[in-house]
Amino acid sequence: MFSSCFCSNVSSSVSSNCQSQKQFLVNGIHKTGDVVLGGLFEVHFFSVLPELSFTSEPQQPICHGFNVLGFRQFQTMAFAIDEINRNSNLLPNVTLGYSIFDNCLTVGIGFRAALSMASGQGDQFLLDNNCIGPPPVLGIVGDSSSTHCIAISAVLGLYRVPMVSYYATCSCLSDRQRFPSFFRTIPSDAFQVRAMLQILKRFCWTWVGLLISDNDYGLHAARSFQSDLAQSGGGCLAYLEVLPWSNDPAELRRIVNVMKKSTTRVSGFIYATYLNPQVVKQNVTGLQWIASEAWTAATGLQTPDLMPYLGGTLGIAIRRGEIPGLRDFLLRIRPDSDPYNNYNNNIVRQFWEYTFQCRFSSPPTGWLDTGGALCTGQEDLENVATTFLDMSDLRPEYNVYKAVYALAYALDDMLQCVPGRGPFRGHSCASLQKLQPWQLLYYLNRINFTTAFGDQVSFDENGDALPIYDVMNWRWLPDGSTTVQTVGVVKKSASTGEELTLDEDRIFWNFDSKQPPQSVCSESCPPGARIARRKGEPVCCFDCIPCSEGKFTYCVCPEDFWSSHKRDHCIPKTIEFLSYHEPLGICLTTASLLGTLICTIVLGVFIYHRSTPMVRANNSELSFLLLLSLKLCFLCSLLFIGHPRLWTCQLRHAAFGISFVLCVSCILVKTMVVLAVFKASKPGGGASLKWFGAVQQRGTVLVLTSIQAAICTAWLVSSSPAPHKNTQYHSDKIVYECVIGSTVGFAVLLGYIGFLAILSLLLAFLARNLPDNFNEAKLITFSMLIFCAVWVAFIPAYINSPGKYADAVEVFAILASSFGLLVALFGQKCYIILLRPERNTKKAVMGRGSTSKYNT
């Protein structure tokens, strides 16, 4: 009953009430409870609305064309609520009631019924201090039509009344801005379209036609189909035709002619009714039909006269489920079980009359007289042939069942809220006495349960349940009968994404070959040819022309392959990196090992002659440490040779940076010691040496090297170098190289080395003319000039060297600078120690009577 009410101010001693100004009666059944759930179902196919009038007389639509399956869905909701009330673990101490209405497949009736439930039932509303009647329904299960749900949910959403549909699939209903309180237990058309595309992809059907109905369901599905097909790159539309609602022979003939002229062998069908006679009349055979959920379930199309044309159809269907106890519940239905037992508002009586072809009494004016015997109400449902009791294919009913349980679980979670820890203002909880629909909405968004059939039920941020469809096949049996069999499942889960499972051996193909057809606009190009697009045609339609160099099938070889010389097959690309087995790698490796060997020999010479003036006068401890660091510099160059691995990429620059900083730090400290010693030789300068003792020298080297180690660690942690396959240098080669990861990190590493080197050069240059026969500052100046020259030349050479040659340039720079330091700093000393021992005396080293204060 749809009504509007007014309130009058009366004294507290007078019982106040709200009077219904207008009544619009809708067929339904009701059961009282602590909490009431509403429902909207298609129990009749047609309706005649009463004429609008301004009288206060109740108005009721006349509905006819009884829908047995709609009534079964209607009763499934009643069964689910009865089952929940008997379940002591779910909503204990709470009784659910229901108000379930017939929408007669009409938007206006469904809309009035929804508003009636949302505003409360009854002719009068008892008042306290305000115009408040009995609690309205807390949530609504329904409607079945997308168009109905769009209209109803747009209004109910304003008041946050939850609406859980079991059959509305329009993807537009996922818009949370427009429909904030809408949920559904059936997948949306967005997933339905992707499921159809999964089937097309499975059989490599890239050239398809699409027929859609002219309503919200068809138009939104078509937009999704076109968009997803384009994004996937898996095919093209040969045609897209919108089927008229009415039987328009001329338009239907035109559409069928388009289908016959098209070269596609596959056609998608998103529901239609009037086209099939034209398909039969014009003998449209040889097509593989892909049906949407609405068409797959259309039993009126699964007839022997249509099977020569529609046999073999692959379609998706709502997930079939099992509902234990439903059949027994349906068998207990009796015409007198409805407390509203007047003829005008007793759907059970209408079902009884339809099923047993009897009547209870003369119908009211305007109702169809069914004739026949009078109904006793004791007729046995098991003695009559009816689909009402067939429990083998419960699909919409299973969705109704899940929708009711979703509302029940949300209500159960809400009532288990602990005061002070609730989700509402002030951490409050909802109470059974003051329940509001918007409070249930919060919990409905968070439900997660598993049905007895094993399916998980939860809603995403758009109110859509985890989608799952059965894949169905229309099989044409030898005796001329038809059957629809399940041949697979397409579903989406949080862990695996979208997944299609098909049992291809069970699929019936309505072709002489009994094999799936091929449906392409243009055949794949042969080896050695490439695709040339046809202007003004879809991308699936093309010509084939010879491939260019380096290309093969579809003019694209796999990533790591290249075409043969004759361009008739793909061969692996040549792999390139700085190898130990090629001449360049052998030369660099030999130089590295040679430098390491020389450093070892020089270190041995210095250790053996450590007590001689030449070694002692040149700060033997720092000289030993400097030789050790030079050995590390030579050895780190080997990390740049060989197949790049993650550990070599990470270690090569870190080892290079730390080794060279250790080396340059030793040189810098030696230079500072030279300056300090000569300053100390002057009157009053002796105090300066206390800052450059052995401990201070070691500490300075350690601190300077630790800074570089910190730089390398930050670089490796933030953006580590890694191996990379580069195909940009040469199309027919794969160049393995190490990408540096962070250019800033590499620049800071080099910059720090350069800073220490320049500082050493400047200090050594200042000390080059200090008096002494053997002033090491001159050697340091020369070595630092060589070092800086090498690395200044390295930067442009490194940037402009491709692939393995960049590594070779860096190795060359490491070796050149290392050899430069080794020869400049230790060459002359070794010459004196080994070949001119007469000059390895204190007098010769220190000069004319001068006194050295910086030996160790």
Side-chain angles (χ1 to χ4, degrees), residues 455-611:
D455 291 331
Q456 182 183 0
V457 181
S458 63
F459 298 111
D460 63 15
E461 64 276 6
N462 297 318
D464 296 324
L466 287 174
I468 182 170
Y469 275 117
D470 290 336
V471 181
M472 312 300 292
N473 179 229
W474 291 11
R475 190 175 186 88
W476 190 14
L477 301 178
D479 61 0
S481 62
T482 63
T483 183
V484 179
Q485 60 181 359
T486 302
V487 294
V489 172
V490 58
K491 62 182 179 180
K492 181 179 181 181
S493 66
S495 57
T496 61
E498 294 177 9
E499 181 181 358
L500 171 65
T501 304
L502 277 182
D503 186 355
E504 295 186 32
D505 294 335
R506 298 186 61 200
I507 298 177
F508 169 72
W509 302 104
N510 195 24
F511 303 96
D512 294 336
S513 65
K514 303 302 179 184
Q515 296 294 323
Q518 288 187 337
S519 185
V520 294
C521 182
S522 297
E523 292 291 341
S524 300
C525 291
R530 70 174 180 84
I531 294 171
R533 305 292 182 196
R534 296 175 186 169
K535 188 175 181 180
E537 296 189 32
V539 295
C540 298
C541 302
F542 50 82
D543 297 316
C544 296
I545 62 176
C547 289
S548 57
E549 182 182 1
K551 305 296 183 180
F552 180 51
T553 304
Y554 298 108
C555 292
V556 178
C557 280
E559 181 182 4
D560 294 343
F561 289 80
W562 187 252
S563 68
S564 63
H565 179 69
K566 295 182 179 180
R567 303 178 196 171
D568 58 353
H569 66 282
C570 289
I571 58 176
K573 289 182 178 180
T574 304
I575 295 176
E576 182 179 277
F577 55 88
L578 186 58
S579 171
Y580 288 107
H581 305 292
E582 62 178 300
L584 180 59
I586 293 172
C587 292
L588 294 174
T589 302
T590 302
S592 175
L593 295 177
L594 179 62
T596 305
L597 178 61
I598 293 173
C599 282
T600 304
I601 293 172
V602 173
L603 181 59
V605 170
F606 266 57
I607 293 174
Y608 183 78
H609 295 278
R610 62 184 179 278
S611 60

Side-chain angles (χ1 to χ4, degrees), residues 162-223:
M163 184 175 185
V164 186
S165 176
Y166 55 91
Y167 216 69
T169 61
C170 181
S171 57
C172 59
L173 287 163
S174 297
D175 186 348
R176 266 301 188 243
Q177 297 297 320
R178 294 177 58 195
F179 311 105
S181 63
F182 180 81
F183 299 82
R184 53 182 154 199
T185 53
I186 186 172
S188 76
D189 286 337
F191 182 75
Q192 181 177 185
V193 165
R194 292 197 297 272
M196 295 173 72
L197 290 177
Q198 290 271 11
I199 297 174
L200 297 178
K201 183 179 179 180
R202 178 65 169 265
F203 296 104
C204 299
W205 293 330
T206 60
W207 186 234
V208 298
L210 184 62
L211 304 173
I212 63 170
S213 54
D214 189 12
N215 58 8
D216 292 326
Y217 175 77
L219 296 175
H220 279 90
R223 280 195 287 270

Side-chain angles (χ1 to χ4, degrees), residues 41 68-77 80 166-167 185 318-319 321 323 326 330 387-388 390-391 393-404:
F41 297 86
V68 174
L69 297 182
F71 181 66
R72 187 170 68 185
Q73 297 160 21
F74 186 98
Q75 289 294 334
T76 300
M77 179 174 177
Y166 55 91
Y167 216 69
T185 53
I318 302 171
R319 173 73 163 165
I323 308 177
L326 177 60
L330 297 179
T387 58
F388 183 67
D390 181 9
M391 302 289 108
D393 199 38
L394 299 177
R395 298 181 187 274
E397 292 82 2
Y398 187 47
N399 282 345
V400 172
Y401 186 78
K402 290 189 291 186
V404 175

Side-chain angles (χ1 to χ4, degrees), residues 29 57 96 98 200-201 220 254 261 387 475 526 545 547 565 569 693 711 723 738 753 761 771 819:
I29 60 174
E57 303 246 344
L96 289 182
Y98 54 75
L200 297 178
K201 183 179 179 180
H220 279 90
R254 184 195 66 79
K261 291 178 181 178
T387 58
R475 190 175 186 88
I545 62 176
C547 289
H565 179 69
H569 66 282
I711 293 172
C738 289
I753 297 174
L761 175 61
F819 273 114

Side-chain angles (χ1 to χ4, degrees), residues 119-175:
S119 59
Q121 290 88 24
D123 292 336
Q124 293 184 337
F125 298 92
L126 298 178
L127 297 179
D128 294 327
N129 296 324
N130 300 309
C131 186
I132 300 175
V137 296
L138 203 59
I140 295 176
V141 175
D143 198 310
S144 58
S145 163
S146 293
T147 301
H148 292 196
C149 286
I150 291 171
I152 296 170
S153 187
V155 175
L156 295 186
L158 298 175
Y159 305 98
R160 300 300 189 265
V161 177
M163 184 175 185
V164 186
S165 176
Y166 55 91
Y167 216 69
T169 61
C170 181
S171 57
C172 59
L173 287 163
S174 297
D175 186 348

